[in-house]
Amino acid sequence: MINVSILGYGTIGSGVFQVLKENCQIIAERTGEEIKVKSILDLRDFPGDEAEGIIVHDFKEIDNDDSIQIVVETMGGLHPAYEFVKASLEKGRSVCTSNKALVAAFGPELVKIAEEKKCNFLFEASVGGGIPIIRPLKSSIAPDIVEQISGILNGTTNYILTEMTENGTDFETVLKDAQAKGYAEKDPTADIEGHDACRKIAILASLAYGHQVDFEDIYTEGITKITNRDINYAGKLGAKIKLVASGKIQDGKICAMVAPGLVTATNPLYSVDGVFNAILVRGNMAGDIMFYGQGAGKLATASAVVSDIMEAAKHPGINIKTIWDNRKMELVSFEESVSKFFVRVSGTKAENETKVSEAFGSVTPVDAGYSDEYAFVTEEVTEGAYIKAEEKLGNIINKIRFN
């Protein structure tokens, strides 16, 4: 029997308990061991809950229990999650977590401790919820050089942009609807400003290239500036607007970014709508591989956590190698990264055509029926060149990169 402790009995923690209980027989058959939840750490009591009898309020009760073999961290945040996870690993206990903030900030350190202590630090659920991506990166795609990894990594923003595209609803109205349906938090900042997706692409890029990619170094832009006019122009271009997180090799360095992007029908991410997420990996041998599914949700995410518990249970005393050290990857400077831009400027075509040509060179006009502005698509230019052209014009309303 494998004894497990769960840290945090919120949405994901209670989901892990539910999956382990309801699917206990098939989990035991596929693992070769019965897995039992011995204790659950939470500050609250849960009278009448199935887990009521195993709730503890002090981490020391778990830390000092020598029968515990696997610790599951679903508390969220950095502290005290980091301290509890580190203490567990240092005692040789495998840890499974869904905490993207923890993994993005302390991944290399915790991976190293697990390797030294011959246990495992597993975090499948930290990036794509129920979408399997961490383990495929470490094993199935391991023979390949990853040329690019990109994805729609946030269900909240994808739902908002899908509703704006399909129903013509404005951003603020859709955001309130998403909050009412539970797709967006009361404070949606981390989602709509791109911070959530940024941490996820930092983890994926770190695993894809084996070295630390700090989320603080990744250029991040949210979706709050996207309007219905942008959506209409996208339709004229045969594209949809998605919040895209990406990391790719450019001139031997890594170019990483999170920003709204115009995704055309030739891109597999084009058809990813609603609250669904998808991750597209391009290997130099395997080509394009896409992983698609629910990027969040109680049971989808809990299922991914339990898959890690099963993996840890099948490898007692054996570290499953994770290539991720703390040497920082050299990133392409933001000014040197290359994109093609869709741009809107205030004023008529007659007022802008010559000035735009002088600032950007050759462009392709886009007409969506608005007489008070002029829109166009640039050639591929560096971010630095775009910034200079934008400053020269001085009347840009919005810009969106092509993906």
Side-chain angles (χ1 to χ4, degrees):
M1 179 181 289
I2 303 292
N3 285 324
V4 172
S5 281
I6 300 173
L7 310 183
Y9 198 56
T11 301
I12 307 305
S14 61
V16 170
F17 180 77
Q18 182 179 342
V19 172
L20 286 171
K21 182 177 181 296
E22 292 187 12
N23 286 6
C24 60
Q25 184 174 342
I26 196 169
I27 289 169
E29 289 173 359
R30 292 176 178 175
T31 306
E33 292 274 4
E34 182 183 348
I35 296 176
K36 175 187 175 184
V37 179
K38 178 80 180 295
S39 52
I40 298 173
L41 176 70
D42 204 287
L43 294 176
R44 300 162 294 175
D45 291 308
F46 295 87
D49 191 276
E50 290 178 286
E52 179 183 8
I54 57 172
I55 298 290
V56 300
H57 302 300
D58 188 344
F59 175 70
K60 289 180 181 179
E61 292 189 47
I62 294 170
D63 196 36
N64 295 330
D65 186 345
D66 293 335
S67 72
I68 301 298
Q69 293 138 291
I70 299 172
V71 172
V72 178
E73 187 277 306
T74 57
M75 303 169 66
L78 291 180
H79 304 287
Y82 164 71
E83 288 77 13
F84 292 171
V85 167
K86 184 177 180 180
S88 299
L89 291 170
E90 287 177 337
K91 285 203 168 183
R93 293 168 176 159
S94 289
V95 173
C96 308
T97 183
S98 59
N99 188 341
K100 59 185 168 289
L102 175 75
V103 177
F106 299 107
E109 177 190 355
L110 298 173
V111 163
K112 184 178 180 181
I113 294 172
E115 185 174 1
E116 291 171 348
K117 296 296 182 179
K118 294 183 172 58
C119 57
N120 288 288
F121 178 59
L122 303 173
F123 43 91
E124 183 64 70
S126 66
V127 171
I131 305 172
I133 181 60
I134 303 298
R135 202 167 291 121
L137 270 181
K138 291 168 60 175
S139 57
S140 306
I141 312 171
D144 282 48
I145 296 170
V146 176
E147 296 176 341
Q148 181 171 349
I149 184 163
S150 59
I152 297 167
L153 300 177
N154 183 272
T156 300
T157 52
N158 204 42
Y159 174 79
I160 290 171
L161 292 172
T162 299
E163 288 295 303
M164 291 176 71
T165 300
E166 295 183 351
N167 300 318
T169 319
D170 66 89
F171 175 84
E172 291 296 337
T173 300
V174 182
L175 175 57
K176 290 177 182 177
D177 172 59
Q179 289 171 320
K181 290 179 176 176
Y183 298 152
E185 301 289 341
K186 184 177 180 180
D187 179 2
T189 304
D191 294 323
I192 63 176
E193 295 295 353
H195 306 315
D196 174 79
C198 179
R199 283 175 169 80
K200 292 174 180 176
I201 197 63
I203 294 169
L204 291 176
S206 296
L207 289 173
Y209 304 115
H211 307 294
Q212 175 70 357
V213 177
D214 284 344
F215 64 89
E216 296 98 331
D217 297 336
I218 297 175
Y219 175 81
T220 302
E221 188 180 310
I223 65 167
T224 55
K225 294 180 181 178
I226 301 299
T227 67
N228 293 103
R229 286 198 178 190
D230 293 312
I231 299 290
N232 291 338
Y233 278 113
K236 295 292 182 182
L237 292 165
K240 295 178 183 178
I241 300 173
K242 305 286 186 183
L243 183 68
V244 179
S246 65
K248 62 183 178 180
I249 297 174
Q250 180 181 311
D251 301 326
K253 301 177 184 178
I254 303 303
C255 179
M257 181 180 294
V258 176
L262 285 159
V263 179
T264 62
T266 58
N267 188 320
L269 298 176
Y270 177 87
S271 60
V272 180
D273 292 325
V275 296
F276 283 87
N277 287 190
I279 301 149
L280 183 64
V281 181
R282 179 169 299 151
N284 71 326
M285 297 297 170
D288 287 350
I289 305 169
M290 190 167 88
F291 301 83
Y292 170 87
Q294 292 187 56
K298 176 177 178 175
L299 295 181
T301 304
S303 176
V305 175
V306 173
S307 77
D308 277 346
I309 296 171
M310 294 169 68
E311 192 75 3
K314 287 187 282 189
H315 295 87
I318 301 171
N319 177 258
I320 305 164
K321 187 72 173 176
T322 299
I323 308 298
W324 183 2
D325 63 41
N326 61 7
R327 181 170 70 84
K328 287 185 65 170
M329 286 291 297
E330 186 176 4
L331 298 183
V332 174
S333 71
F334 176 68
E335 290 76 13
E336 293 174 356
S337 59
V338 176
S339 296
K340 183 167 74 170
F341 293 85
F342 162 73
V343 185
R344 294 167 53 210
V345 297
S346 60
T348 65
K349 178 179 180 179
E351 293 169 336
N352 283 288
E353 200 166 19
T354 301
K355 292 190 295 182
V356 166
S357 180
E358 290 173 352
F360 282 98
S362 177
V363 300
T364 304
V366 184
D367 185 5
Y370 303 113
S371 60
D372 57 343
E373 62 181 65
Y374 177 55
F376 56 92
V377 174
T378 72
E379 300 292 325
E380 283 196 338
V381 297
T382 64
E383 293 284 345
Y386 171 82
I387 291 169
K388 288 181 180 178
E390 182 181 76
E391 290 172 349
K392 186 173 182 179
L393 278 177
N395 63 333
I396 288 180
I397 300 169
N398 201 7
K399 54 95 172 44
I400 304 172
R401 298 165 184 85
F402 277 81
N403 281 94

